[in-house]
Amino acid sequence: MSKIIEQLEREQLRDGSPRFKAGDTVRVHFQVIEGERRRTQVYEGVVIKRQGKGVRETFTVRKQSFGVGVERTFPIHSPKIERIDVVAVGDVNRAKLYYLRGRVGKKARIREIRQDRAKGAAVKVAPEAVEPEEVEPEEIEPQEAEAEAAEPAEVGAES
């Protein structure tokens, strides 16, 4: 290619896009133009492929919407994309995850690599191994407790 085209393409490259790969779960915030209105729509799913180089680089995100698999391809350096958030880092050994198209439900899950920020080491986590958080019971103020106790008595009186 000519140096002029390369220079123009370098100017159009987007700075600050996060590092992600196939298998990662991402949340893409992009602008949708409907008539004269502009709004931001969020598309969250698993990246099944990245392809191309430079300005032409794209990635495809797959999600399940009402039981139907939906895929959408986004150009990484598009001005319509406001930001890309990496929700989870997947543990996969392939660059293209086309096999997810034939799977639904639990079979379509991808193992997640959870980053231990304190040590800087990656920890593999199976979905079953996550421990539920302990929730402390909330203290109820006396006024609220009296109101809650009064409601069942009123319901019983109506019957």
Side-chain angles (χ1 to χ4, degrees):
M1 277 197 286
S2 70
K3 295 191 184 244
I4 296 171
I5 294 174
E6 289 177 8
Q7 181 184 2
L8 288 172
E9 286 184 352
R10 252 185 270 121
E11 291 172 2
Q12 294 175 356
L13 290 177
R14 176 187 205 106
D15 293 333
S17 62
R19 294 180 55 150
F20 61 93
K21 60 181 179 16
D24 294 352
T25 302
V26 295
R27 188 175 293 137
V28 183
H29 299 261
F30 65 98
Q31 292 179 358
V32 177
I33 301 169
E34 297 172 338
E36 296 179 11
R37 288 185 49 211
R38 285 192 129 157
R39 64 182 178 89
T40 301
Q41 185 172 353
V42 180
Y43 193 90
E44 182 175 349
V46 176
V47 177
I48 62 168
K49 71 177 176 176
R50 277 184 79 155
Q51 66 182 15
K53 286 278 190 189
V55 177
R56 295 174 201 82
E57 188 173 1
T58 62
F59 64 102
T60 302
V61 180
R62 179 178 177 81
K63 73 174 185 176
Q64 291 288 328
S65 179
F66 299 102
V68 178
V70 180
E71 293 181 6
R72 182 152 184 186
T73 302
F74 299 97
I76 290 179
H77 301 288
S78 171
K80 287 189 176 184
I81 293 181
E82 291 181 0
R83 71 178 193 265
I84 302 170
D85 299 330
V86 178
V87 177
V89 178
D91 182 27
V92 295
N93 295 325
R94 294 175 180 235
K96 307 283 194 274
L97 305 178
Y98 297 136
Y99 67 89
L100 290 177
R101 292 175 176 164
R103 298 187 181 180
V104 180
K106 288 186 177 182
K107 292 181 181 181
R109 283 189 301 192
I110 295 175
R111 272 191 318 272
E112 177 182 335
I113 298 177
R114 189 174 62 193
Q115 298 291 329
D116 187 11
R117 295 175 195 243
K119 297 177 184 175
V123 179
K124 292 183 183 179
V125 177
E128 300 85 34
V130 177
E131 297 178 10
E133 296 178 14
E134 292 184 23
V135 180
E136 296 181 20
E138 297 178 11
E139 294 183 22
I140 301 175
E141 294 182 17
Q143 296 172 350
E144 294 176 6
E146 293 173 3
E148 291 177 6
E151 290 175 11
E154 292 175 10
V155 173
E158 292 176 6
S159 300

